[in-house]
């Protein structure tokens, strides 16, 4: 405890210290809980706001390593690069083994080969991309009639027609909902069809399944993502672009529509990979852990700058910020770069399994996985009674426009979800996501989409939040378990 | 002339006729130039604004035929489809032979195979698309160091380094300029590098040339377009996406950058094709021609809804509007769907060659080739003294927000350019183009980008303008010849 006070005070600007002395009562309050005083939190915030270290690490990750789907050479290179960057900060880095799915994209193409009104010799190309977990067509593709539906109910109503067909789920992404700050629910609605649609189509005998890309952009880009298929009916499954879904729906309205589809992905044996874990050891409560994290794997189409390079860089930035200020927390701050969030969450599961005898020591977790949009506050699944304790933190984040604390019963951050279900409260930067799903899971999720200033704000929020959680005097408490 | 008056009056609403009688002097003025009176122009405008015929033709062209690059099966099918649609309107349709370039896209891929900081086993994929007219790499591609430049001056300063390299012109598109209503100049700046950059690189011994896509979108889509190469040095040439240009520039700043490039397009012998020409014969000045046109060919990546399906549909819509109202113009209104605007303008040249003995009879020409953005007026290269004559037309277009007349010395509409150079004044709908170059020459130039209401407004502007030009009492005059 003394060490902490000494170090914290040792780095405060002199004027701030003088102000603390002169303020009398306020200064006494600060001394009562020195680690989480406004001066220290502000110092952390301001230091992060001046530092491009995290952005530089994000540039290294995206420009030098690039895509890093679980099991790929990129994922392996990313583990090495991120571990090395944190070793250079002086952190103790551990690689936690994780067995990950190993799915590899193959050739992919689509062609509308017959439809009402088709001129002789004409076919229409469809832009599509295989979903992670998709089965394969023959190498030369397959040809089948297309059944277009717009909901699961419509699929059921046409259940008898699905056999032998390619089923297209033409379900639009609700960008207006996303624009109103509800990108998550808008995504959830569409993602339900991506995750579960192909399996439901397979159960009805469909030979392949297509989903309309889950995202709001209109640049004929396909959004990949995971789908869940039974091994016994692993049919080919792909996302078509919004434009191509609209085209297919219009052509189907003119009459029978036939498609040639080629998808040749491979599902290989599970591969060896790792969560990258770096600890900033705590002082008097070192056995209690505050996790701050993002996921290191990405989809294979892009360099995953926002999903979730920004989250990893932000979490690493917490370490860099506190190291630079030479601040030691009371609890251990544990930076984790998760492996395999995208298509298995095996990293989160492996960590949970390894922690299951000491779950109460996992006192809080942060995961940033909603992109690098400007943060305007903090989301959390703490119990309601604990919420007022966060007022000093939010006061320190208010000057950068990030002072809003929003509580939810469950956040559902993928990698932390098992811990959250077990009672650990989860936190994340609350960010502007209105354009996040324009780029999400597409080839366009690249470094240029990350505003360096916004990323510095992320680091500021995550650093102050991590510090605050690691130094709270009071128990943080547990979530409302479902 | 009598025929015209009778027909025009015969279709005026009764109330309009009564109003004309009651207005006295105004009515007399209308009778002095009955064909171009406000009532007739308003009737044309309003009829076009209620009619989806042009949009339906655009849907047929894009959904059923699709891409239609010169020499392709799609271009041939488009000629048939558009000719048939105008025959159904009762027009006399002529197919004017045009020999067109026949360039066919092949395989295309790019990979950054070495760069400073590259982890072992890692390469970075580059999204690119061959430029029309590009030469080919060997089937297995070529590997060469990359020289990044940002201007022709920079290329000259590094002229000695170009030999044996792949030259990338990383020249950004000025979207802010486009947002200020100057999309044309913004495009022109970038297109200069696309059209002329590869040839200049070839002259310095470059083994291939890349240009940053000319367009303002950030969805990792490559914008194709024509480049002009000497047959003796037809090097491979492609457009990389904005994201990939940025990546390559960043990696080149870290050290030497090496790329593997595969482009296997073919330049085949010139192919037979056609301009589609449909006449609405004039009455007393039938030998004088007013052209209203768009270009029928498109690039091969998309269905060319805005470039220039909308222009063709708009021009056909003029015929449909006037036929529906049973209005006969004094001069002949000639609808032309040009072939080969994109990579040769052979259609425009063929028409000019065929008209060269009667150029003075080509009294005016309209070409719509800036997309289907909302029209707010008319652009023209008439001589300044003629401008006031257009006031009645603009008054009739004012109620739909399209009442602005803007004169320029040269419009430079590609297919009409030889005629314009010979003195024929050229016209086009003046439209909102701020997002036109987001989609232009990309796979995303698809039907969903066309707002049906905006297209109706295009037809209204083009119909009223065509009618006005075909019935002007005064000579339309000639352009200021350059």
């Amino acid at each position: 405890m003394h060490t902490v006070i000494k170090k914290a005070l040792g780095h405060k600007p002199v004027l701030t210290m003088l102000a603390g002395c002169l303020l009398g009562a306020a200064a006494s309050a600060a001394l009562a809980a020195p680690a989480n005083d406004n001066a220290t939190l502000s110092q952390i915030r301001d230091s992060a706001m001046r530092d491009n270290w995290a952005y530089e690490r994000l540039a290294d990750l995206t420009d030098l390593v690039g895509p890093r789907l679980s099991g790929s050479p990129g994922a392996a290179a990313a583990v090495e690069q991120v571990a090395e960057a944190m070793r250079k900060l002086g952190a103790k880095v551990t690689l936690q083994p994780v067995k990950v799915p190993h799915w590899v994209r193959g050739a992919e193409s689509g062609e509308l080969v017959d439809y009402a009104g088709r001129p002789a010799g004409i076919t229409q190309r469809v832009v599509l991309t295989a979903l992670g977990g998709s089965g394969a067509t023959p190498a030369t593709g397959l040809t089948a009639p297309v059944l277009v539906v717009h909901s699961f109910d419509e699929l059921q109503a046409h259940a008898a027609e699905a056999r032998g067909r390619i089923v297209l789920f033409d379900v639009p992404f609700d960008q207006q909902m996303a624009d109103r700050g509800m990108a998550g629910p808008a995504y959830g609605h569409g993602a339900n069809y991506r995750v579960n649609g192909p399996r439901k189509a397979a159960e009805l005998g469909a030979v392949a399944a297509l989903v309309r890309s889950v995202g709001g952009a209109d640049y004929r880009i396909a959004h990949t993502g995971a789908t869940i298929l039974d091994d016994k009916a692993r049919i080919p499954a792909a996302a078509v672009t919004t434009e191509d879904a609209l085209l297919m729906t219009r052509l189907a309205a003119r009459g029978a529509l036939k498609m040639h589809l080629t998808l040749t992905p491979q599902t290989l044996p599970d591969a060896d990979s790792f969560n990258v874990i770096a600890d900033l050891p705590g002082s008097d409560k070192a056995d209690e852990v505050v996790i701050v994290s993002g996921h290191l794997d990405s989809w294979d189409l892009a360099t995953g700058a926002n999903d979730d390079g920004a989250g990893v860089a932000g979490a690493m930035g917490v370490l860099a910020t506190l190291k630079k200020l030479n601040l030691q927390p009371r609890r251990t701050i544990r930076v984790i770069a998760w492996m395999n969030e995208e298509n298995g969450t095996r990293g989160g599961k492996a960590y949970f399994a390894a922690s299951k005898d000491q779950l109460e020591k996992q006192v809080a977790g942060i995961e940033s996985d909603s992109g690098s949009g400007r943060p305007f506050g903090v989301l959390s699944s703490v119990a309601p009674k604990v919420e007022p304790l966060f007022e000093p933190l939010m006061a320190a984040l208010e000057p950068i426009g990030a002072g809003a604390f929003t509580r939810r019963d469950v956040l559902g951050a993928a990698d932390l979800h098992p811990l959250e279900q077990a009672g650990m409260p989860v936190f994340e930067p609350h960010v502007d996501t209105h354009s996040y799903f324009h780029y999400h899971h597409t080839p366009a999720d690249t470094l240029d989409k990350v505003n360096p200033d916004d990323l510095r704000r992320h680091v500021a929020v995550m650093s102050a939040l991590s510090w605050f959680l690691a130094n709270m005097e009071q128990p943080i408490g547990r979530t409302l378990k479902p």
Side-chain angles (χ1 to χ4, degrees), chain A:
Chain A
M1 171 84 116
H2 279 295
T3 315
V4 176
I5 293 173
K6 190 174 147 199
K7 285 196 176 170
L9 290 177
H11 289 266
K12 278 182 198 171
V14 173
L15 279 175
T16 308
M17 292 177 68
L18 285 174
C21 295
L22 293 169
L23 282 171
S28 304
L31 286 172
N36 274 340
D37 61 341
N38 188 270
T40 307
L41 290 166
S42 298
Q43 186 188 28
I44 293 169
R45 176 198 70 208
D46 293 344
S47 182
M49 289 287 286
R50 284 191 300 268
D51 197 340
N52 263 332
W53 186 89
Y55 184 81
E56 287 160 10
R57 297 296 75 69
L58 179 61
D60 286 349
L61 185 64
T62 55
D63 283 357
L64 302 181
V65 170
R68 40 197 187 278
L69 186 59
S70 291
S72 70
V79 165
E80 287 307 312
Q81 189 193 72
V82 164
E84 184 58 24
M86 292 198 286
R87 277 187 210 110
K88 279 192 186 159
L89 289 176
K92 178 174 166 261
V93 175
T94 313
L95 301 186
Q96 181 175 49
V98 185
K99 275 278 183 192
V100 295
H102 192 187
W103 179 88
V104 180
R105 188 176 303 281
E108 39 195 37
S109 66
E111 200 85 19
L112 304 176
V113 295
D114 205 10
Y115 47 88
R118 181 177 68 90
I122 299 296
T123 62
Q124 295 276 14
R125 184 174 74 106
V126 168
V127 177
L128 51 74
T129 198
L131 297 178
S134 166
T137 64
T140 54
L142 61 80
T143 302
V146 176
L147 171 64
V148 179
V149 299
H150 303 87
S151 67
F152 288 133
D153 285 347
E154 194 178 346
L155 177 65
Q156 282 311 315
H158 294 269
E161 298 162 47
R163 181 162 304 279
R165 296 201 181 192
I166 298 169
V167 172
L168 165 63
F169 294 93
D170 177 22
V171 178
F173 179 81
D174 191 340
Q175 182 59 41
Q176 291 188 331
M177 183 184 263
D179 288 340
R180 294 195 307 271
M182 291 184 284
Y187 176 68
H189 180 71
N192 183 23
Y193 285 89
R194 188 196 73 214
V195 172
N196 299 307
R199 190 179 66 255
K200 288 177 193 278
E203 287 165 1
L204 296 173
V207 295
L210 304 172
V211 298
R212 179 165 164 170
S213 284
V214 185
D218 61 352
Y219 289 86
R220 211 172 178 192
I221 49 173
H223 298 235
T224 190
T227 193
I228 298 177
L229 286 159
D230 289 337
D231 274 333
K232 289 176 189 164
R234 193 168 289 281
I235 61 172
V240 299
T241 75
T242 296
E243 285 86 344
D244 290 278
L246 293 171
L247 171 65
M248 292 174 73
T249 295
R250 290 194 301 267
L251 289 180
R254 290 179 186 251
L257 173 63
K258 192 179 282 186
M259 182 178 194
H260 185 72
L261 176 69
T262 305
L263 297 173
T264 62
Q266 290 177 278
T267 301
L268 302 175
D270 285 359
D272 291 319
S273 190
F274 305 93
N275 290 327
V276 182
I277 301 177
D279 279 358
L280 181 62
S283 52
D284 62 320
K285 296 187 175 186
D287 61 330
E288 294 186 15
V289 173
V290 172
I291 297 168
V292 56
S293 65
H295 67 82
L296 190 52
D297 62 308
S298 76
W299 280 102
D300 56 336
L301 299 176
T303 60
N306 267 312
D307 187 15
D308 179 29
V312 170
M316 291 201 296
V318 173
L319 194 60
T321 302
L322 299 180
K323 280 283 186 183
K324 191 173 185 179
L325 295 173
N326 204 19
L327 286 172
Q328 184 185 24
R330 297 182 63 190
R331 300 183 178 90
T332 294
I333 292 178
R334 176 166 294 168
V335 178
I336 308 183
W338 303 102
M339 183 50 63
N340 188 229
E341 189 275 345
E342 292 295 2
N343 57 339
T345 58
R346 299 276 185 88
K349 288 167 188 162
Y351 183 88
F352 182 76
S355 312
K356 66 175 184 295
D357 295 335
Q358 41 164 345
L359 286 176
E360 73 292 350
K361 297 294 186 188
Q362 312 292 317
V363 299
I366 305 165
E367 181 163 9
S368 168
D369 186 21
S370 296
S372 62
R374 176 147 312 203
F376 47 84
V378 169
L379 278 172
S380 174
S381 58
V382 289
K385 64 179 180 188
V386 186
E387 191 172 337
L389 299 180
F390 288 87
E391 282 170 15
L393 171 68
M394 304 325 290
L397 293 175
E398 184 60 40
I400 59 166
F405 189 92
T406 306
R407 206 203 65 79
R408 290 181 186 159
D409 286 347
V410 180
L411 283 199
D415 300 294
L416 294 176
H417 198 53
L419 289 166
E420 186 179 42
Q421 294 290 96
M424 184 188 78
V426 169
F427 299 79
E428 62 177 77
H430 197 177
V431 303
D432 176 6
T433 52
H434 87 278
S435 68
Y436 178 63
F437 290 105
H438 290 180
Y439 305 105
H440 178 257
H441 294 189
T442 76
D445 180 6
T446 47
L447 182 63
D448 51 290
K449 307 307 180 305
V450 176
N451 180 318
D453 180 57
D454 284 344
L455 188 66
R456 287 192 293 269
R457 290 166 187 267
H458 275 253
V459 177
V461 169
M462 291 169 77
S463 297
L465 173 59
S466 300
W467 177 258
F468 190 84
L469 291 167
N471 291 288
M472 281 173 78
E473 194 64 45
Q474 307 87 339
I476 300 169
R478 307 300 279 173
T479 63
L480 298 175
K481 288 189 200 177

